[in-house]
Amino acid sequence: MGIRLGSTVINCADLELMTGFWSRALGLVPSSASSTSSTSSTSSTQDDDFRVLRGDRVNLSLQLSRTPVSARDQMHLDLYSDDQAVEVDRLTGLGARFVRHHQEDQDDYVVMTDPEGNEFCVVAVACL
């Protein structure tokens, strides 16, 4: 195949908060302009407005938004888990908030929000 998904991008107001949450939530390693610069500072700079959180099988990117997002998100993440309850508890401990649990015969997911209110789902799957 000549094309693949490289990364999903989330706009955010607080790059440090979202980097901490999503890197711990998904076990990803952040890269940024500040981590490759010659200074030892780890705080955001004007040029550090985009981060790629890298993993073995997935990348997630965070982009600093200069204006607040006031409309409902047009896209969200579905996180697949073979132990949904444990992951929901873990993500809640990292700062996510529970929204609702949708459960039907072949459809079981928990809607949550990240620390900035972006929705994502934790979907129960039999095996990863």
Side-chain angles (χ1 to χ4, degrees):
M1 178 179 223
I3 193 168
R4 70 175 180 86
L5 178 64
S7 186
T8 299
V9 180
I10 298 175
N11 289 329
C12 58
D14 187 331
L15 199 58
E16 299 304 322
L17 174 69
M18 297 294 278
T19 297
F21 176 80
W22 284 112
S23 61
R24 289 188 319 246
L26 298 176
L28 303 175
V29 177
S31 63
S32 69
S34 64
S35 68
T36 59
S37 69
S38 60
T39 65
S40 61
S41 171
T42 58
S43 62
S44 291
T45 65
Q46 272 192 329
D47 295 332
D48 187 20
D49 60 358
F50 190 85
R51 295 240 173 101
V52 178
L53 310 181
R54 300 185 188 284
D56 291 335
R57 298 174 16 183
V58 67
N59 291 331
L60 178 69
S61 297
L62 303 173
Q63 178 174 284
L64 186 62
S65 177
R66 302 282 182 219
T67 58
V69 177
S70 58
R72 184 181 186 282
D73 296 338
Q74 298 297 312
M75 185 177 2
H76 70 271
L77 301 175
D78 281 348
L79 308 180
Y80 290 7
S81 175
D82 57 1
D83 197 341
Q84 182 186 58
V86 168
E87 286 303 317
V88 167
D89 287 344
R90 185 179 73 84
L91 294 166
T92 300
L94 293 175
R97 292 186 187 94
F98 175 87
V99 175
R100 69 182 173 278
H101 189 172
H102 176 88
Q103 196 169 16
E104 293 180 3
D105 289 339
Q106 298 295 319
D107 200 18
D108 183 0
Y109 59 90
V110 174
V111 179
M112 302 186 80
T113 58
D114 67 19
E116 288 194 354
N118 301 300
E119 287 189 351
F120 65 95
C121 295
V122 180
V123 181
V125 295
C127 62
L128 296 177

